[in-house]
Amino acid sequence: MALEIHQFAYGQDNYGVLLHDGDSRETAMIDAGDATAARAALGETGWQLTQIWITHHHGDHTAGLLDIAAETGAATYGPVGVSGVATTLAGGDRFAFAGRQVDVLATPGHTLDMLNFHLETEKLAFTGDTLFAMGCGRLFEGDAAMMWDSLGKLMAFDDDTVIYCSHEYTAANAAFALSVDPDNHALQRRAKAVAELRVAGLPTVPTIMGLERETNPFLRAGDAAIRKGLGMESASDAAVFAEIRRRKDNF
Ligand code: ZN
Ligand code: FE
């Protein structure tokens, strides 16, 4: 049976996710930024939490961890240095959830401790604040070269990989994307679809890898039209990425 997924909103623009296996009745939650929202999501689904996977140390991803872990007894996984994480992970590690393999990727850039989770057999990934729909995380702790390398790990995913990210930033990301990639028809179509979803109060997350490859400027540093627009035809992909990230910071 395929895993069931319940996404819920909290805070300003955060998304939490519950992942559930109906056979084993195991349930994982990705990040624990808000205990109240997590309790509500568990109550709504009736699922019993068995694991918590933390992506990075920021409070909007961790503030509810101690409470929810204590209340549920869930096993806690995440980076070194997060209070309440019992099993610390690093890039290249793997662990099991409901008989599936979860691969741990280190994707530093937004923070140095950032971890992403990939269930290859389920075509499913959780990218925290590294990859957003049409965007990527701000560089708080790492630099552009580091983030470009991290995004490269995610670009190895198959096109039909479903990607859950941690924030609803998509409409603002679309506006920026159009500023550096204005003639991209797939992007124009997607920006329209995103605007319609937001008017209807609907989430734009999850996304899929193939769509990100076509429309996310942060994955498109190698694209000839973008490079031409930036006047960076002969620059390295990493340098083009750094310029796109710099422009987004000032957009
Ligand atoms: Zn963050
Ligand atoms: Fe965040």
Side-chain angles (χ1 to χ4, degrees):
M1 196 158 99
L3 298 174
E4 293 171 72
I5 298 178
H6 177 78
Q7 178 174 261
F8 58 97
Y10 65 90
Q12 278 276 55
D13 45 37
N14 281 84
Y15 287 124
V17 180
L18 296 176
L19 190 58
H20 179 73
D21 174 47
D23 296 326
S24 66
R25 308 180 78 85
E26 288 182 59
T27 305
M29 182 165 72
I30 292 77
D31 283 329
D34 184 318
T36 306
R39 276 183 212 110
L42 289 165
E44 203 178 307
T45 54
W47 298 340
Q48 303 272 337
L49 195 63
T50 52
Q51 295 186 353
I52 302 171
W53 313 345
I54 297 294
T55 59
H56 67 296
H57 68 85
H58 283 162
D60 63 312
H61 301 254
T62 57
L65 176 59
L66 290 172
D67 284 349
I68 290 297
E71 286 166 27
T72 61
T76 55
Y77 299 83
V80 175
V82 174
S83 170
V85 167
T87 302
T88 56
L89 300 168
D93 285 349
R94 52 182 55 160
F95 61 96
F97 168 71
R100 277 86 164 174
Q101 179 172 313
V102 183
D103 287 305
V104 180
L105 290 88
T107 60
H110 175 73
T111 62
L112 295 179
D113 68 348
M114 182 70 75
L115 300 177
N116 290 173
F117 303 100
H118 184 210
L119 288 80
E120 195 171 11
T121 57
E122 313 302 306
K123 303 257 187 193
L124 186 60
F126 300 92
T127 62
D129 288 359
T130 297
L131 178 67
F132 296 122
M134 288 185 275
C136 79
R138 259 177 205 275
L139 302 175
F140 287 121
E141 297 177 6
D143 60 19
M146 197 182 268
M147 182 61 114
W148 178 244
D149 187 60
S150 294
L151 292 172
K153 297 177 188 176
L154 306 182
M155 280 190 263
F157 295 165
D158 292 342
D159 275 345
D160 56 352
T161 303
V162 176
I163 293 178
Y164 283 82
C165 59
S166 298
H167 291 272
E168 180 61 63
Y169 291 156
T170 317
N173 287 342
F176 171 73
L178 286 166
S179 77
V180 290
D181 197 8
D183 300 323
N184 180 338
H185 295 293
L187 172 58
Q188 292 163 2
R189 278 194 303 276
R190 189 179 183 193
K192 256 188 213 129
V194 162
E196 285 167 16
L197 285 169
R198 297 311 292 154
V199 164
L202 295 171
T204 65
V205 175
T207 178
I208 56 170
M209 193 62 212
L211 191 54
E212 292 309 312
R213 252 192 266 283
E214 284 180 359
T215 60
N216 187 329
F218 296 99
L219 303 184
R220 295 170 55 72
D223 180 78
I226 291 180
R227 299 169 75 93
K228 188 158 187 244
L230 296 175
M232 296 181 77
E233 282 107 321
S234 56
S236 68
D237 288 352
V240 174
F241 168 79
E243 174 61 16
I244 295 171
R245 186 59 258 178
R246 193 190 65 74
R247 288 186 183 220
K248 175 68 166 67
D249 290 340
N250 299 307
F251 186 70

Short mmCIF file of all heavy atoms in Angstrom, two decimals, residues 2-3 6 9 16 21 29 33 38 42 50 55 68 76 87 100 141 143 176 188 201 215 218 228:
data_model
loop_
_atom_site.label_atom_id
_atom_site.label_comp_id
_atom_site.label_asym_id
_atom_site.label_seq_id
_atom_site.Cartn_x
_atom_site.Cartn_y
_atom_site.Cartn_z
N ALA A 2 0.48 2.21 -0.78
CA ALA A 2 1.25 3.47 -0.83
C ALA A 2 1.11 4.21 0.49
O ALA A 2 0.11 4.06 1.20
CB ALA A 2 0.75 4.34 -1.97
N LEU A 3 2.11 4.98 0.81
CA LEU A 3 2.05 5.79 2.02
C LEU A 3 0.99 6.88 1.85
O LEU A 3 0.80 7.41 0.76
CB LEU A 3 3.41 6.42 2.29
CG LEU A 3 4.56 5.45 2.56
CD1 LEU A 3 5.88 6.20 2.66
CD2 LEU A 3 4.31 4.65 3.84
N HIS A 6 -0.44 13.60 4.90
CA HIS A 6 -1.31 14.69 5.37
C HIS A 6 -0.45 15.92 5.59
O HIS A 6 0.41 15.94 6.47
CB HIS A 6 -2.01 14.26 6.67
CG HIS A 6 -2.87 15.34 7.26
ND1 HIS A 6 -4.12 15.65 6.79
CD2 HIS A 6 -2.65 16.20 8.30
CE1 HIS A 6 -4.64 16.64 7.51
NE2 HIS A 6 -3.76 16.98 8.43
N ALA A 9 -0.83 23.30 7.61
CA ALA A 9 -0.18 24.61 7.69
C ALA A 9 -0.02 25.04 9.14
O ALA A 9 -0.80 24.64 10.00
CB ALA A 9 -1.03 25.64 6.94
N GLY A 16 3.76 21.51 7.71
CA GLY A 16 4.21 20.28 8.33
C GLY A 16 3.62 19.12 7.54
O GLY A 16 2.64 19.29 6.80
N ASP A 21 1.79 4.84 7.11
CA ASP A 21 1.68 3.53 6.46
C ASP A 21 0.52 2.77 7.10
O ASP A 21 0.57 2.44 8.29
CB ASP A 21 2.99 2.76 6.63
CG ASP A 21 2.86 1.34 6.09
OD1 ASP A 21 2.35 1.18 4.96
OD2 ASP A 21 3.25 0.39 6.80
N MET A 29 6.47 12.36 11.19
CA MET A 29 6.22 13.78 10.96
C MET A 29 7.54 14.42 10.55
O MET A 29 8.57 14.16 11.17
CB MET A 29 5.67 14.46 12.22
CG MET A 29 5.35 15.94 12.02
SD MET A 29 4.32 16.62 13.35
CE MET A 29 5.51 16.67 14.70
N GLY A 33 7.68 22.17 14.13
CA GLY A 33 7.78 23.59 14.44
C GLY A 33 6.72 24.10 15.39
O GLY A 33 6.88 25.15 16.01
N ALA A 38 0.70 20.25 15.31
CA ALA A 38 1.00 18.82 15.17
C ALA A 38 -0.07 17.99 15.88
O ALA A 38 -0.56 16.99 15.32
CB ALA A 38 2.38 18.51 15.75
N LEU A 42 -2.55 15.27 14.11
CA LEU A 42 -2.63 13.88 14.57
C LEU A 42 -4.06 13.54 14.97
O LEU A 42 -4.56 12.45 14.70
CB LEU A 42 -1.67 13.66 15.74
CG LEU A 42 -0.18 13.67 15.34
CD1 LEU A 42 0.71 13.82 16.57
CD2 LEU A 42 0.18 12.41 14.56
N THR A 50 5.06 7.84 15.32
CA THR A 50 6.14 6.92 15.72
C THR A 50 7.53 7.47 15.43
O THR A 50 8.51 7.03 16.02
CB THR A 50 5.98 5.55 15.01
OG1 THR A 50 5.84 5.74 13.59
CG2 THR A 50 4.74 4.83 15.53
N THR A 55 14.68 18.62 9.86
CA THR A 55 15.53 19.03 8.74
C THR A 55 16.68 19.94 9.18
O THR A 55 17.79 19.80 8.68
CB THR A 55 14.73 19.76 7.64
OG1 THR A 55 14.09 20.92 8.20
CG2 THR A 55 13.68 18.83 7.03
N ILE A 68 6.13 17.36 21.59
CA ILE A 68 5.49 16.31 20.79
C ILE A 68 6.21 14.97 20.99
O ILE A 68 5.56 13.91 21.09
CB ILE A 68 5.46 16.70 19.29
CG1 ILE A 68 4.46 17.84 19.08
CG2 ILE A 68 5.07 15.52 18.41
CD1 ILE A 68 3.01 17.49 19.41
N THR A 76 13.13 10.16 17.45
CA THR A 76 13.49 11.45 16.84
C THR A 76 14.81 11.36 16.10
O THR A 76 15.80 10.86 16.62
CB THR A 76 13.56 12.54 17.91
OG1 THR A 76 14.47 12.13 18.94
CG2 THR A 76 12.19 12.79 18.55
N THR A 87 18.47 10.39 17.67
CA THR A 87 19.33 9.74 16.68
C THR A 87 19.84 10.80 15.72
O THR A 87 19.07 11.33 14.91
CB THR A 87 18.56 8.66 15.90
OG1 THR A 87 18.06 7.69 16.83
CG2 THR A 87 19.47 7.97 14.88
N ARG A 100 10.42 0.91 4.59
CA ARG A 100 11.01 1.63 3.46
C ARG A 100 12.35 2.22 3.88
O ARG A 100 12.55 2.58 5.03
CB ARG A 100 10.13 2.81 3.02
CG ARG A 100 9.00 2.46 2.09
CD ARG A 100 7.81 2.02 2.85
NE ARG A 100 6.61 2.02 2.02
CZ ARG A 100 5.44 1.55 2.45
NH1 ARG A 100 5.31 1.02 3.65
NH2 ARG A 100 4.39 1.60 1.65
N GLU A 141 23.64 30.58 6.60
CA GLU A 141 24.88 30.06 7.20
C GLU A 141 25.91 29.62 6.14
O GLU A 141 27.11 29.67 6.39
CB GLU A 141 24.57 28.89 8.14
CG GLU A 141 23.71 29.31 9.33
CD GLU A 141 23.32 28.14 10.23
OE1 GLU A 141 23.80 27.01 10.02
OE2 GLU A 141 22.51 28.37 11.15
N ASP A 143 27.24 29.38 1.85
CA ASP A 143 27.40 30.32 0.74
C ASP A 143 26.80 29.73 -0.53
O ASP A 143 26.28 28.61 -0.54
CB ASP A 143 28.87 30.70 0.55
CG ASP A 143 29.76 29.49 0.25
OD1 ASP A 143 29.23 28.44 -0.16
OD2 ASP A 143 30.99 29.62 0.42
N PHE A 176 9.55 36.44 -8.87
CA PHE A 176 10.99 36.59 -9.07
C PHE A 176 11.46 35.78 -10.27
O PHE A 176 12.24 36.25 -11.11
CB PHE A 176 11.77 36.19 -7.83
CG PHE A 176 13.25 36.15 -8.11
CD1 PHE A 176 13.97 37.32 -8.27
CD2 PHE A 176 13.91 34.92 -8.29
CE1 PHE A 176 15.33 37.29 -8.59
CE2 PHE A 176 15.26 34.89 -8.61
CZ PHE A 176 15.97 36.07 -8.76
N GLN A 188 5.59 30.70 -17.25
CA GLN A 188 4.43 31.60 -17.37
C GLN A 188 3.14 30.87 -17.01
O GLN A 188 2.30 31.38 -16.27
CB GLN A 188 4.34 32.15 -18.79
CG GLN A 188 5.49 33.10 -19.15
CD GLN A 188 5.61 33.32 -20.65
OE1 GLN A 188 4.82 32.79 -21.44
NE2 GLN A 188 6.62 34.10 -21.05
N GLY A 201 -7.16 29.99 -1.94
CA GLY A 201 -6.71 29.60 -0.60
C GLY A 201 -6.12 28.20 -0.54
O GLY A 201 -6.07 27.60 0.54
N THR A 215 11.00 25.13 -14.34
CA THR A 215 10.51 26.46 -13.95
C THR A 215 11.25 27.12 -12.79
O THR A 215 11.02 28.30 -12.52
CB THR A 215 9.01 26.39 -13.55
OG1 THR A 215 8.87 25.49 -12.43
CG2 THR A 215 8.15 25.89 -14.70
N PHE A 218 16.54 28.65 -9.82
CA PHE A 218 17.71 28.24 -9.03
C PHE A 218 18.26 26.89 -9.47
O PHE A 218 19.36 26.52 -9.09
CB PHE A 218 17.36 28.24 -7.54
CG PHE A 218 17.01 29.60 -7.03
CD1 PHE A 218 15.68 29.98 -6.89
CD2 PHE A 218 18.00 30.51 -6.73
CE1 PHE A 218 15.35 31.25 -6.44
CE2 PHE A 218 17.69 31.80 -6.29
CZ PHE A 218 16.36 32.16 -6.15
N LYS A 228 22.03 34.44 -20.81
CA LYS A 228 22.09 35.58 -21.72
C LYS A 228 21.47 36.81 -21.06
O LYS A 228 22.02 37.92 -21.12
CB LYS A 228 21.35 35.23 -23.02
CG LYS A 228 21.51 36.25 -24.10
CD LYS A 228 21.25 35.65 -25.49
CE LYS A 228 21.59 36.65 -26.57
NZ LYS A 228 20.43 37.06 -27.37
#
